[in-house]
Amino acid sequence: MNRSTRRTVLVAGAANLVVAATKLAAGLISGSSAMLAEAAHSLADTLNQAFLLTSLRKSTRPPDRDHPFGYGQERYFWSLLAAFGIFVAGAGFSVFEGILAMLRPHGHEDPLIAYIVLAVSFVAEGISFARAVHQMRQEAENQGREVMDHVRRSPDMTVKAALFEDTAAVIGLVLAGGGLLLTQLTGSSVWDGAASVAVGVLLIVVAYRLGRDSRDMLIGHAADPDEQRLITEEINATEGVDDVAELLTMRLGPDHLLIAARASFVDDITAEEVEDMAEDIDRRVGERLSVTPHVFIDPTRQRTAARRPGFGSGERVYGHSCSDEGGQATRAEDPGTTTGRSA
């Protein structure tokens, strides 16, 4: 997934860099505030692609003592910075330039160059948009979801950021073109300024949505209901498990999921059998999920499950973290110790 995501971000970054330069030249030549706003938008998008590429590089670092579950959540931090960049560099300049154009009407040079640049930009941004949509569609098909449902539920903020930016870019080009056309027909630069403000409002909406989703992931977002049902089914299907009393999940990045489950076991089960069952649950859950699970099982007797207050109540917890390189289950030697090793 990371290779496909990196390709999507690189395509978007190259398109934004070329388009930003052409828009800036066209805006200076034609005097169009909407075109200058679009140039600012593309420059902000180019900077954001650099943020997203940085997130891809940093998030793949292996686990260490300070970060035993890896650095997957780096993706959410850098996507939050991208949202901030869209808001400040893109939306802020667009709204300011638009208001200035409406308050201080001015004439325009021949807008032909602006129309040419808009057409070229639309092709470039369209290619980038098509690439982001293609990746989202492939991911949706792999998980058996509708595309829009997958966009809403996907934990991969890097691809979502690229898709949101490309969508805003295509719509923004249409708005800029409309502003130029109305200005040419009416002779009033108010329309051009209004188009610039509209581009700014569009970017505010995109920045808010991207920032809100990134914040939700950073503060600890659970697996979606379908994934939770699948995890519960696999634990309940394990021989020796009576019931799942509690299931807690948290995303550790787009590709990793923390799973902590309190399960009631049959009374005659041994500690070694519980450890083997934890490994088996981890393996089966990993085969059915599209992410790497880190499973921790809190075994409890059926007769005491109802009065247990929660995790960390002094019982042994068996953990196993699965990764591409494999993992190893470790049993707690002392009561009250939660163990698990991330590979």
Side-chain angles (χ1 to χ4, degrees), residues 27-84:
L28 295 174
I29 293 173
S30 66
S32 169
S33 61
M35 189 61 65
L36 290 174
E38 274 296 299
H41 175 192
S42 295
L43 285 171
D45 284 353
T46 303
L47 178 62
N48 292 336
Q49 304 310 319
F51 286 157
L52 298 179
L53 284 173
T54 300
S55 77
L56 290 174
R57 179 176 59 84
K58 288 183 173 292
S59 65
T60 56
R61 287 180 292 175
D64 54 33
R65 183 181 296 275
D66 293 330
H67 299 85
F69 293 105
Y71 291 80
Q73 288 180 304
E74 284 258 18
R75 301 272 284 272
Y76 304 141
F77 169 74
W78 289 98
S79 64
L80 186 63
L81 287 185
F84 184 74

Side-chain angles (χ1 to χ4, degrees), residues 242-322:
D242 283 329
D243 188 32
V244 178
E246 185 177 12
L247 177 67
L248 303 176
T249 61
M250 187 176 74
R251 296 201 179 277
L252 302 173
D255 305 317
H256 293 265
L257 181 67
L258 176 65
I259 302 170
R262 184 198 299 162
S264 58
F265 290 80
V266 296
D267 290 341
D268 59 349
I269 196 168
T270 66
E272 288 75 14
E273 290 174 327
V274 172
E275 184 175 353
D276 292 339
M277 292 164 64
E279 292 185 17
D280 182 56
I281 291 170
D282 185 273
R283 177 186 56 79
R284 289 188 286 108
V285 170
E287 290 174 352
R288 295 192 63 186
L289 291 177
S290 60
V291 297
T292 299
H294 303 268
V295 181
F296 294 84
I297 303 294
D298 180 10
T300 182
R301 303 296 184 187
Q302 189 174 28
R303 62 177 178 270
T304 61
R307 67 172 183 266
R308 293 284 301 281
F311 286 91
S313 55
E315 298 292 331
R316 293 182 179 179
V317 179
Y318 298 88
H320 186 72
S321 295
C322 175

